[in-house]
Amino acid sequence: MAARDPLAFHCSRTLLKVLTRPRCRLQPATLPAHQIRQASQSQNPQKGKKVDPKRKKKSNPEFTQYDLKNAEQFSLCDAMRYIRAFEVGRPPTSSKYEMHIKLRTLKNGPVIRNRLRLPHPVKTDVRICVICPPDSKHGEEARKAGATLVGEDDVFEAVKAGRIEFDRCLCQTDSLPKLNKAGVARMLGPKGLMPSAKYSTVIRDVGPTVRDMVGGSEYRERMGVVRMAVGQLGFSPEQMQTNIKAFMGHMKKDIAALSDRIKKDIHEVVLSSTHSPGFSLSGDFRSPESVPVSELSS
């Protein structure tokens, strides 16, 4: 009898065990319902569909203004009475009356921007700098008109050193080349103090401009609304009425000057203060239910 091959005997024995081993069936694993991932269904059934360009919603080219037919409006005396109730306990000079003029106008177009000296100035502590030779006639006129800082080289050195001790800056026409060479535009420009002919701060006659600027206020249209302080909390109704008439008359002139380029109409006039909400004005000075004017004058 032939001898067995140990290696062949071992392989055949192992193969026999594998073929005769009982098979076990794996049960499918069951996962909780919240762990089963499914294809997400879009919540918008219109997603993926082509939109008809004819049915595309167009944006309104004008600023949205609400209908004032059912809005509650107040006379000037009534609005001042309610505003003063919100300002109880505050010094009369710390809070100011602010006027908001809402316009019907296009979103893209020229805006209103101007400066006005009210009959009763609101802010009289404006510091004005005039760039011109200090010993010239323009420098003397600027000082007499109320300018707090007049000069050329001294002003340039102070600005470069970071000492900007003024709120408005004017430049006399003859000093403009020297201003451009001084290299102070990068300091004054971001603060809105760089003189420019575009904003009427490069002038020839210094005296009248400084007198108009002392106690004057600037206003500019933003998002279809023009805002400006028109009085201090201690102003009487008569003083407020005079300032409001002057502001509205100036605004109408600004609107007329832009009539050839864009159409603007006054939609609503709102009066508020530093800490109070706004009250829509009806255009009347007082109503039958208004308190006596003398009670609002102190």
Side-chain angles (χ1 to χ4, degrees), residues 34-73:
H34 67 276
Q35 294 185 5
I36 300 176
R37 302 183 62 180
Q38 297 179 354
S40 60
Q41 297 181 356
S42 175
Q43 300 294 332
N44 186 7
Q46 301 296 331
K47 187 176 181 180
K49 294 184 179 180
K50 293 183 179 181
V51 180
D52 188 0
K54 295 181 180 180
R55 299 182 60 184
K56 188 176 180 180
K57 186 177 180 180
K58 296 182 180 179
S59 59
N60 189 1
E62 296 185 357
F63 290 105
T64 303
Q65 302 293 358
Y66 298 100
D67 188 8
L68 301 177
K69 183 181 295 184
N70 299 323
E72 186 176 5
Q73 294 185 310

Side-chain angles (χ1 to χ4, degrees), residues 2 20 48 84 119-120 122 143 181 189 195 202 213 217 256 269:
T20 57
R84 287 193 173 201
H120 304 282
V122 179
R143 292 189 188 92
K181 293 179 181 178
V202 177
M213 189 171 288
S217 302
V269 179

Side-chain angles (χ1 to χ4, degrees), residues 131-164:
I131 298 176
C132 67
D135 54 350
S136 64
K137 65 174 184 178
H138 298 296
E140 295 178 2
E141 292 178 359
R143 292 189 188 92
K144 291 180 181 179
T148 57
L149 184 61
V150 179
E152 287 182 333
D153 295 333
D154 295 341
V155 175
F156 300 151
E157 292 176 2
V159 171
K160 291 179 181 178
R163 300 192 308 271
I164 303 177

Side-chain angles (χ1 to χ4, degrees), residues 136-275:
S136 64
K137 65 174 184 178
H138 298 296
E140 295 178 2
E141 292 178 359
R143 292 189 188 92
K144 291 180 181 179
T148 57
L149 184 61
V150 179
E152 287 182 333
D153 295 333
D154 295 341
V155 175
F156 300 151
E157 292 176 2
V159 171
K160 291 179 181 178
R163 300 192 308 271
I164 303 177
E165 301 173 347
F166 49 86
D167 304 313
R168 301 285 187 274
C169 186
L170 301 176
C171 180
Q172 209 277 330
T173 308
D174 298 335
S175 301
L176 183 59
K178 199 169 185 178
L179 172 65
N180 294 333
K181 293 179 181 178
V184 295
R186 58 191 178 89
M187 280 78 76
L188 297 179
K191 298 180 181 295
L193 298 175
M194 184 64 184
S196 172
K198 179 180 178 182
Y199 299 128
S200 302
T201 50
V202 177
I203 54 177
R204 183 173 297 276
D205 298 327
V206 176
T209 305
V210 174
R211 279 191 293 270
D212 292 340
M213 189 171 288
V214 174
S217 302
E218 293 185 356
Y219 58 89
R220 181 178 180 179
E221 176 188 348
R222 289 183 175 88
M223 301 295 292
V225 182
V226 180
R227 300 175 178 87
M228 193 181 79
V230 293
Q232 296 181 2
L233 195 64
F235 279 13
S236 65
E238 291 84 359
Q239 291 175 317
M240 287 290 297
Q241 185 184 35
T242 305
N243 280 358
I244 290 173
K245 285 184 177 180
F247 183 34
M248 294 299 296
H250 216 259
M251 273 289 303
K252 291 178 180 178
K253 291 181 181 179
D254 294 335
I255 292 175
L258 296 175
S259 60
D260 57 336
R261 292 189 289 168
I262 190 172
K263 182 180 179 182
K264 293 179 182 289
D265 296 312
I266 297 176
H267 177 72
E268 185 183 11
V269 179
V270 178
L271 185 68
S272 67
S273 71
T274 308
H275 303 93

